[in-house]
Amino acid sequence: MGGDGREVTDAAVTRADRPAGGRPRAAIIANPTKQGIDELRIAVEEAERRQGFEPSLWLETTIEDPGKAQAMEAVAEGVDLVIAAGGDGTIRSVAAGLRGTGVPMGLVPLGTGNLFARNLDLPVNDQADAVVIAFSGIERQVDVLVADIRRPDGDAETHVSLVMAGIGIDAAMIANTNDDLKKRVGWLAYVDAGLRALPASVPFRVHYRVDTGRVHRPRASSILVANLGYLPGNIELVPDAEIDDGMLDVVVLQPRNLLGWLFVWRKITWENRVLRKSALGRQFMDLTGGSRRREVVYGRGRHVAIRIEGAAEEFEIDGDEFGSVVAADFRVDPGALIVRVAE
């Protein structure tokens, strides 16, 4: 392992040693609990035939290891491509194992939110199309967020994020999502959880600092650090977020009352998604005071340090609950992952 926490391998040398004319090989890392695995195998076999690949190496995730160890095993085997088939948790774990190796990752989204795939404009409802892109799409080098968190008992952990991580009501909402409802209605279950979490939400004092700037101490309902900014339901939480700009984006939600939450909703659905995309819309925002309101505050940098004042708060990464934390340091690892996307 390198000094920055990346996995260091000699896989590139292994691939380069393939005899001239040898066919490439992929590894498929699949969550066996997801529906559609049989159809996935058929689609993969067809893509192998069309693209001239050898039969793929198939690896299954487990509860104990949702993908990182399997990705490292695939890299050690010298594969040319690793395809993650599952939800955002599987894809994030596989990315953690591929980070810094130079081995490209394809995505077959089989989850509820599929946040990373949606932000990359990959098909989330057509498994066969996703497989085709994974085998034959163009390669894009993207950033990875690295989070060093501290638990209430003092334990320290390091995790990666591909989309965004958050502390506060967003994490509480995810923790309170009804799993049965999520299976029936998909990402709409998060709306139900949000409506239930909102009345119980109590703002907390957070200290945060972006790069070497000053320390901010707002009372916030949530603080998020983002690599990408689009969420299901036409919510553009972080309109300036780019996955390959070497920067992270900070979002602080600090409404004071129910009216403030309405302004938050207007900001992330109407202003960010529609008005700010045109000169006339931005002028309208200025005239109506939208650009001066403080319910949603943004920041940008390469590092952000967050400390919670008082009791620990719930924490989430890419739509998955991760327990509670008292502190988190985020940094961006520029261009650390290669993903296959549509041309």
Side-chain angles (χ1 to χ4, degrees):
M1 180 175 289
D4 63 353
R6 291 188 184 186
E7 302 298 338
V8 179
T9 75
D10 58 358
V13 176
T14 303
R15 293 191 301 276
D17 288 343
R18 182 187 298 111
R23 294 189 297 165
R25 189 186 189 200
I28 315 298
I29 300 176
N31 182 339
T33 68
K34 299 296 184 180
Q35 295 182 348
I37 299 299
D38 290 340
E39 293 83 353
L40 175 64
R41 287 185 177 274
I42 295 172
V44 166
E45 289 175 2
E46 176 66 15
E48 290 167 349
R49 183 182 65 80
R50 288 180 175 272
Q51 299 300 322
F53 273 64
E54 292 184 1
S56 296
L57 170 67
W58 284 80
L59 300 169
E60 291 187 349
T61 64
T62 64
I63 295 176
E64 294 75 19
D65 197 317
K68 182 177 180 179
Q70 294 85 342
M72 294 169 62
E73 178 183 346
V75 171
E77 289 288 332
V79 301
D80 301 87
L81 168 69
V82 174
I83 298 175
D88 282 306
T90 299
I91 289 169
R92 180 182 61 253
S93 296
V94 171
L98 295 180
R99 174 182 164 225
T101 66
V103 179
M105 180 174 76
L107 281 68
V108 180
L110 301 176
T112 302
N114 299 315
L115 298 179
F116 192 52
R118 291 179 191 274
N119 275 273
L120 293 177
D121 291 325
L122 292 172
V124 297
N125 296 312
D126 192 323
Q127 190 179 112
D129 276 358
V131 169
V132 169
I133 294 171
F135 272 92
S136 62
I138 62 174
E139 294 183 355
R140 183 177 180 186
Q141 201 165 1
V142 302
D143 304 335
V144 174
L145 294 184
V146 183
D148 298 312
I149 64 173
R150 191 167 75 245
R151 300 293 188 184
D153 61 3
D155 284 352
E157 301 171 11
T158 298
H159 299 279
V160 302
S161 169
L162 298 176
V163 182
M164 66 181 70
I167 300 171
I169 190 174
D170 62 300
M173 175 191 73
I174 289 167
N176 291 326
T177 300
N178 185 302
D179 289 335
D180 290 336
L181 184 63
K182 188 164 68 171
K183 291 177 182 177
R184 294 200 305 270
V185 301
W187 64 266
L188 288 172
Y190 295 120
V191 177
D192 167 75
L195 293 174
R196 287 187 287 109
L198 194 59
S201 172
V202 177
F204 58 95
R205 182 72 67 183
V206 58
H207 300 189
Y208 75 95
R209 182 179 186 178
V210 180
D211 293 337
T212 57
R214 71 180 183 89
V215 176
H216 302 269
R217 297 178 175 85
R219 287 186 61 81
S221 292
S222 184
I223 180 168
L224 302 102
V225 180
N227 197 27
L228 289 164
Y230 175 77
L231 299 175
N234 285 327
I235 296 174
E236 197 154 352
L237 182 62
V238 196
D240 292 329
E242 296 287 346
I243 198 172
D244 55 3
D245 61 358
M247 304 287 284
L248 54 78
D249 291 81
V250 183
V251 188
V252 183
L253 305 183
Q254 48 187 29
R256 295 183 178 180
N257 47 38
L258 180 58
L259 180 61
W261 278 111
L262 293 177
F263 280 118
V264 170
W265 186 253
R266 186 183 78 167
K267 180 74 173 179
I268 63 179
T269 57
W270 175 239
E271 292 183 4
N272 287 355
R273 191 71 177 161
V274 180
L275 293 183
R276 73 184 307 274
K277 297 184 183 297
S278 69
L280 183 61
R282 291 190 294 272
Q283 184 179 15
F284 179 80
M285 288 171 58
D286 289 338
L287 291 174
T288 58
S291 59
R292 297 186 298 275
R293 300 201 64 89
R294 303 293 293 173
E295 286 85 5
V296 183
V297 175
Y298 292 101
R300 304 196 81 212
R302 290 181 170 83
H303 172 265
V304 59
I306 300 172
R307 302 291 181 271
I308 308 301
E309 184 178 302
E313 291 289 333
E314 296 284 343
F315 179 57
E316 60 90 7
I317 300 179
D318 297 349
D320 289 335
E321 59 176 305
F322 265 77
S324 58
V325 298
V326 295
D329 285 354
F330 292 88
R331 64 187 187 277
V332 62
D333 192 358
L337 183 67
I338 300 172
V339 294
R340 290 275 178 92
V341 297
E343 296 186 25

